[in-house]
Amino acid sequence: MLNVEQVEEWLGQEVLDAQNERVGKLDEVYYAKGGSEAVFALVKSGMLGRHTSLVPLAGASVGRDYLKLAYTAEQIERAGSDIDAQDVLVADTAHQTSAAYGVEVPQEDFESASSINRRGQATREAQERAEALEEEARRRTAEAEKARGSAQDASEQASLKDDEAERARAEAERARGEAEGRRT
């Protein structure tokens, strides 16, 4: 079984038939929506990869640098499911293909590994943005706390300076009063 985390390693790899004959290169893998098991492979073949075959992955195995299908090149050719890679493989196409190979698959749409990986990447990027924003919020909160502390310190110092100024005014008044008392 190929899982979503492994699929990027396999795209572009050689695909062999049941008799170890090369049938093309792996172009895409399709998973049942919400499932983790690869159900179909899209194989490019022919000159410049112009021909594609949708093949069930039932019974497939992997080697170090190839994917081996459980069907012969002749069976793949006879099934004739030439489709383009797309994000969603609709249930009708999947059902027709699986019937051509005598395999049963769920009667549902299938999602491409590329689509799953793009969505996963978008999720990771969104999580990274959220973490960065949370860090920025923590930093700004700390700065605001520091500024509040500085403002409170400044307010206390201003209050002390006001008290000192008031005492100085009082002393100045008393000194004026004493000076006037001495003049008279």
Side-chain angles (χ1 to χ4, degrees):
M1 172 173 78
L2 298 174
N3 66 33
V4 175
E5 288 75 29
Q6 295 173 324
V7 77
E8 287 180 343
E9 297 173 22
W10 297 102
L11 294 181
Q13 293 293 333
E14 293 291 324
V15 178
L16 305 178
D17 72 356
Q19 298 170 336
N20 292 324
E21 296 294 321
R22 182 185 182 283
V23 291
K25 291 193 179 279
L26 184 61
D27 188 45
E28 189 59 86
V29 176
Y30 291 92
Y31 293 83
K33 288 201 171 188
S36 62
E37 186 172 345
V39 181
F40 289 100
L42 188 63
V43 180
K44 273 191 173 184
S45 60
M47 292 295 285
L48 305 173
R50 291 185 180 166
H51 179 72
T52 57
S53 299
L54 185 65
V55 184
L57 285 170
S61 60
V62 292
R64 182 172 294 239
D65 55 358
Y66 63 86
L67 169 66
K68 183 176 179 181
L69 301 172
Y71 309 99
T72 64
E74 186 179 312
Q75 286 174 299
I76 295 168
E77 185 84 20
R78 248 193 338 246
S81 54
D82 196 12
I83 65 166
D84 292 327
Q86 48 200 304
D87 286 345
V88 176
L89 176 63
V90 294
D92 288 344
T93 301
H95 183 68
Q96 289 171 357
T97 300
S98 64
Y101 287 92
V103 176
E104 293 213 14
V105 296
Q107 192 67 16
E108 61 184 54
D109 290 347
F110 294 83
E111 188 172 15
S112 73
S114 297
S115 175
I116 292 167
N117 289 331
R118 279 193 306 275
R119 190 173 60 247
Q121 181 63 32
T123 299
R124 285 186 295 280
E125 288 170 1
Q127 287 172 334
E128 288 171 4
R129 280 194 310 273
E131 289 170 5
L133 289 171
E134 286 175 1
E135 181 59 34
E136 178 70 12
R138 282 191 291 274
R139 186 184 62 74
R140 288 185 181 193
T141 298
E143 287 175 358
E145 286 297 319
K146 185 177 177 182
R148 269 193 285 281
S150 295
Q152 187 173 358
D153 289 347
S155 176
E156 289 171 3
Q157 287 179 0
S159 181
L160 289 173
K161 295 291 183 190
D162 283 346
D163 290 347
E164 287 176 13
E166 191 58 40
R167 280 193 300 275
R169 274 194 288 279
E171 283 182 38
E173 280 296 317
R174 201 173 29 253
R176 258 191 238 113
E178 287 176 12
E180 281 182 18
R182 287 188 188 144
R183 277 192 230 162
T184 50

